[in-house]
Amino acid sequence: GNKHYTFNVTLYMANAAFALVVDTTGYHAKDMRVFATGFADSYALMDSTYTYNHTPIIRTTEVKNPAATRRITFRGVCFPSKDSESLPASMPSTRLSTEKVHLWQVRAYVTRHDGTVTESILYIDRPLQAAQLRIIKARLKSDGSLQPESQEVGVSVTLDWKQGGTYEPEL
């Protein structure tokens, strides 16, 4: 027959979010693009597990702030990063061996008015977990680099960064 049932199901967020807030007081960039990496590439609903087979690149979206704030905000939605306990001990680090391995990173490409591009890679050692929003604050410097406000965020800067070659095969 026609029976009605009621089920109570607890739902959990499977994705996470992050924002990069850049203080541009004193400096103005011609253009800025922001990406992030270091997150899971899929989620298995039945098992509630994430996989890390590939390294997806997350493109951010600029949030329109009032011009008076002198801040530019970029936001991204992704799956979580790995937890620090799940990293292999043999994983190479870009920093001193006494420090933790970075779990995920934000890459900012700032085009200056002279046409040069400065790449800043922000290394984050704290995991980004499901249902979390992590806000990273940085200050734009005169050379186009970003200086994180938190000492928990490492940075690597490449001045006059050049994009690698692209290959477009005939189809």
Side-chain angles (χ1 to χ4, degrees):
N2 229 358
K3 294 186 180 183
H4 296 280
Y5 297 99
T6 301
F7 296 96
N8 288 325
V9 178
T10 304
L11 301 176
Y12 300 97
M13 293 287 294
N15 59 347
F18 63 91
L20 174 65
V21 180
V22 180
D23 184 350
T24 62
T25 303
Y27 306 107
H28 180 72
K30 185 176 176 183
D31 184 44
M32 186 180 296
R33 295 174 293 128
V34 177
F35 304 90
T37 188
F39 309 109
D41 59 1
S42 67
Y43 177 71
L45 189 59
M46 283 185 73
D47 301 328
S48 294
T49 57
Y50 296 93
T51 60
Y52 298 88
N53 297 323
H54 306 285
T55 307
I57 304 292
I58 307 299
R59 183 182 316 173
T60 64
T61 304
E62 185 176 349
V63 178
K64 296 298 178 191
N65 291 338
T69 64
R70 294 190 185 121
R71 287 183 170 80
I72 304 172
T73 303
F74 296 89
R75 65 172 172 82
V77 177
C78 55
F79 283 134
S81 71
K82 288 185 178 182
D83 289 328
S84 54
E85 296 83 36
S86 65
L87 291 173
S90 63
M91 181 177 243
S93 174
T94 57
R95 294 190 255 157
L96 298 174
S97 59
T98 57
E99 296 185 39
K100 287 191 233 173
V101 174
H102 62 270
L103 296 173
W104 55 287
Q105 56 185 252
V106 175
R107 295 174 174 247
Y109 299 91
V110 176
T111 304
R112 300 173 61 207
H113 288 285
D114 64 2
T116 61
V117 176
T118 301
E119 175 192 54
S120 295
I121 303 175
L122 306 177
Y123 298 100
I124 298 92
D125 292 337
R126 292 180 57 208
L128 179 62
Q129 299 172 337
Q132 257 189 346
L133 167 64
R134 179 71 45 82
I135 299 173
I136 301 163
K137 295 180 180 179
R139 180 175 305 277
L140 180 66
K141 295 169 62 178
S142 62
D143 60 4
S145 65
L146 297 184
Q147 177 183 358
E149 289 186 9
S150 170
Q151 292 186 1
E152 294 181 354
V153 178
V155 65
S156 169
V157 175
T158 304
L159 301 175
D160 199 16
W161 174 84
K162 303 278 191 236
Q163 182 173 348
T166 57
Y167 174 69
E168 296 180 20
E170 289 184 30
L171 299 177

